[in-house]
Every structure is written in C-alpha cells, then in structure tokens.
C-alpha cells in the first residue's frame, strides 16, 4: 500500500488501509481511514482512470465500504490496483490485488 499526502501534510503509512473481499467478480472494498467524499476503483494502472476494470469508481459509504463489479470474467487472476481517490479524484492510496482473489 502506498499513501500520499499533500505537501506539508505528512500521513503515516498506517493511516489508511485498503482491503478487498471477492464473491466471484463482485468486490467489496473497504478503505478505513479514507477522507469524506473518497471513492475506490480497480485499475490496471493506478494513476490512469481510463484503465479501470470496474467500469468506474464507487463512492465509499459511511461504513467506509463500496461495491464494485468487474464484468469481464477473463480478468480473473489479473493483477490490478485497488485505489482510493479523494474528492478531487486524486489517488491517495493504492494496493495491488488479484481480481477474484481475497487479499
């Protein structure tokens, strides 16, 4: 996991944790410590929104979770990034995961 903060706002690496649980191609992502207005996405390249494998990002609910769907079953076993985005859609944390595998 990589955590980034704006200049002058150091954040400890443990401040935000990402986990993803799978049921087939449905992902339940949790981002504990994420700021208000944050969302999550699954991408082939963390910083490139055009590489999403989940259609688009999903807003985190009040319980810090979001549901995502990977529609292409050929992606099972593919390594992607689970990214947490702030309200401005800037990546603030990322974790490498495998589609369809619990991390």
């Amino acid at each position: 996991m990589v955590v980034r903060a704006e200049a002058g706002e150091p954040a400890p690496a443990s401040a935000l944790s990402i986990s993803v649980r799978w049921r087939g191609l449905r992902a339940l992502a949790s981002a504990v410590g994420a700021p208000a207005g944050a969302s999550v996405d699954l991408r082939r390249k963390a910083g490139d929104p055009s590489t999403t494998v989940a259609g688009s990002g999903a807003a985190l609910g009040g319980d810090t979770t979001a549901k995502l769907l990977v529609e292409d079953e050929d992606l099972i076993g593919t390594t992607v990034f689970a990214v947490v985005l702030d309200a401005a859609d800037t990546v603030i944390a990322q974790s490498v995961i495998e589609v369809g595998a619990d991390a």
Side-chain angles (χ1 to χ4, degrees), residues 59-73:
L60 289 167
D63 61 353
T64 69
T65 64
K67 295 178 183 178
L68 298 153
L69 174 64
V70 177
E71 294 183 5
D72 185 353
E73 66 184 39

Side-chain angles (χ1 to χ4, degrees), residues 6-35:
E6 290 188 28
E9 296 180 25
S14 63
L16 199 155
S17 66
I18 307 168
S19 64
V20 178
R21 302 285 300 170
W22 291 93
R23 181 168 287 169
L25 291 173
R26 295 182 188 277
L28 178 63
S30 175
V32 177

Side-chain angles (χ1 to χ4, degrees), residues 32-56:
V32 177
S39 61
V40 294
D41 196 5
L42 304 174
R43 298 175 176 177
R44 290 182 187 263
K45 295 180 182 177
D48 185 352
S50 71
T51 65
T52 183
V53 298
S56 65

